[in-house]
Amino acid sequence: MQSRVTPAPFPRQGPERRTVETGRRGRPANPAHTLAPVGPDRREPGWPPMGRRQAALLAVTLVGYLLVLAGVLLNTSLVDLDWSVRLLRPYERWPRLEPLLDTWVVAGQRGPSAIAAFLWLGWRAHRLRRLRPLLVMGIALLLLNVTVGAVKIVTGRLGPHYAQYVGSPELFSGGTIFPSGHTANAVVTWGVLAYLAVRWRRTGALVAAATACSIGLTTVYLGTHWVTDVLAGWAAGLLVLLVLPLLEPLVAAAEQRLHRRFAGRHLPY
C-alpha cells in the first residue's frame, strides 16, 4: 500500500512593505544612506538622571554665581579685589609669559574652539551614524550664549583696560565684559568634549578643568578681564554643564525628528 505523504504547508507571506531597513520589496537598503537607529548605545551613552550630588552642586554653583553678581552690583570688597589685581599689572611684572599666554588664550575663544570641537564631533557623528554629539554641543553653546549674553547686556561692564574711575565697578557703561565669555566658553566647550569622549571621560574632565582654569587666569594676567569676570564665567559655564542632563529629552526628540527626516529623504526607490 502506498503511503500518503502530506506536503508541509508553506508559510504564508504577508504583503511586502517598504521600510527604511529593507528598502523596496525586501531588498536591503544601503546602510550608508541611513542613520543608525536612535536608542541606547554603549559607545554613546546618555547622561544619567540628575542625582542629589549634581543637584547640590547645581544649587551651590548658582548661589556662588549670584553672590559674585551681587558683589559687583553692590560695589563690595570683590570690586576692591578686582582693582588690586588690575593695579598690580601682572603682564608688566612678568612680561616673558605674555607671548605664550597670549597664544594660549585662543583656546578659549568661541570661534577657534568651536571649529576644533565640531570637526571632532562631526567625525564621531559620522562614525556612529548618529547626530547626538553635534546636538549636545549645539544646545550647550546656544544655552551658554543666551544666558551669558543676557547678563553682559544688562550689566554693561567695561574691561580693565577701559576702566575710567579707580575703585568703580564700571557698570552700565556699554561694555560687554561680565561675565567672562572666554572662560565660560572654555568650560562648556572642553567640558562637553570630555563628556562625549566616553572612554577617557575622567581624564578628559581633568584636562577640561585645567584648561578652563588656566584660560580664566590668563585673561586676568593679560588684563582683559577682572577677577570677578572670571569667577562668574566659571560659574556660568558650569551651570550649563550641570543643566544639560535636564535637556536630554530635548536632544533625543531632536535626534528622532532629524532621523526620520533624513531616513525618508535617502530612501532608495
Side-chain angles (χ1 to χ4, degrees):
M1 180 180 294
Q2 186 177 5
S3 61
R4 294 184 179 180
V5 179
T6 304
F10 290 97
R12 296 183 178 181
Q13 296 181 354
E16 295 177 342
R17 296 181 180 179
R18 285 167 49 185
T19 62
V20 177
E21 291 78 10
T22 59
R24 186 181 181 184
R25 294 185 179 180
R27 292 198 301 267
N30 187 354
H33 291 168
T34 60
L35 295 174
V38 178
D41 191 341
R42 294 180 180 179
R43 296 172 300 173
E44 195 70 26
W47 234 315
M50 181 176 293
R52 293 183 178 180
R53 291 185 179 181
Q54 290 81 1
L57 182 57
L58 176 62
V60 171
T61 305
L62 179 59
V63 170
Y65 189 14
L66 295 177
L67 288 177
V68 174
L69 177 60
V72 174
L73 293 175
L74 300 176
N75 196 6
T76 63
S77 57
L78 287 177
V79 177
D80 297 335
L81 174 63
D82 286 337
W83 275 102
S84 298
V85 177
R86 168 68 179 87
L87 298 176
L88 184 63
R89 301 179 188 274
Y91 55 89
E92 292 184 356
R93 288 179 174 267
W94 302 283
R96 294 182 179 180
L97 297 176
E98 186 171 0
L100 175 62
L101 295 180
D102 201 20
T103 303
W104 171 243
V105 78
V106 177
Q109 289 182 353
R110 184 178 295 107
S113 61
I115 292 174
F118 276 105
L119 285 176
W120 183 80
L121 292 176
W123 170 82
R124 183 165 183 80
H126 174 73
R127 182 181 177 184
L128 299 174
R129 292 191 292 124
R130 294 193 61 179
L131 297 174
R132 185 175 180 277
L134 296 172
L135 291 174
V136 170
M137 180 63 77
I139 291 177
L141 291 180
L142 177 62
L143 181 61
L144 174 69
N145 291 332
V146 170
T147 55
V148 171
V151 178
K152 283 177 176 289
I153 294 174
V154 171
T155 56
R157 193 181 194 188
L158 295 176
H161 289 311
Y162 302 96
Q164 301 175 356
Y165 306 100
V166 176
S168 169
E170 302 293 338
L171 294 171
F172 314 118
S173 301
T176 56
I177 207 71
F178 180 89
S180 170
H182 250 84
T183 306
N185 183 74
V187 173
V188 172
T189 301
W190 304 113
V192 172
L193 287 180
Y195 160 67
L196 294 175
V198 181
R199 290 184 179 181
W200 303 97
R201 182 174 295 179
R202 292 185 179 180
T203 303
L206 294 176
V207 173
T211 301
C213 289
S214 61
I215 288 177
L217 296 176
T218 298
T219 60
V220 175
Y221 165 85
L222 296 174
T224 56
H225 278 289
W226 305 98
V227 174
T228 50
D229 296 342
V230 174
L231 294 177
W234 283 332
L238 185 57
L239 283 175
V240 172
L241 292 180
L242 293 173
V243 168
L244 275 180
L246 303 178
L247 302 180
E248 282 292 329
L250 176 62
V251 174
E255 188 180 17
Q256 288 279 4
R257 190 169 185 177
L258 292 173
H259 171 75
R260 289 194 297 266
R261 176 173 298 181
F262 286 132
R265 180 177 299 178
H266 294 290
L267 186 65
Y269 290 93

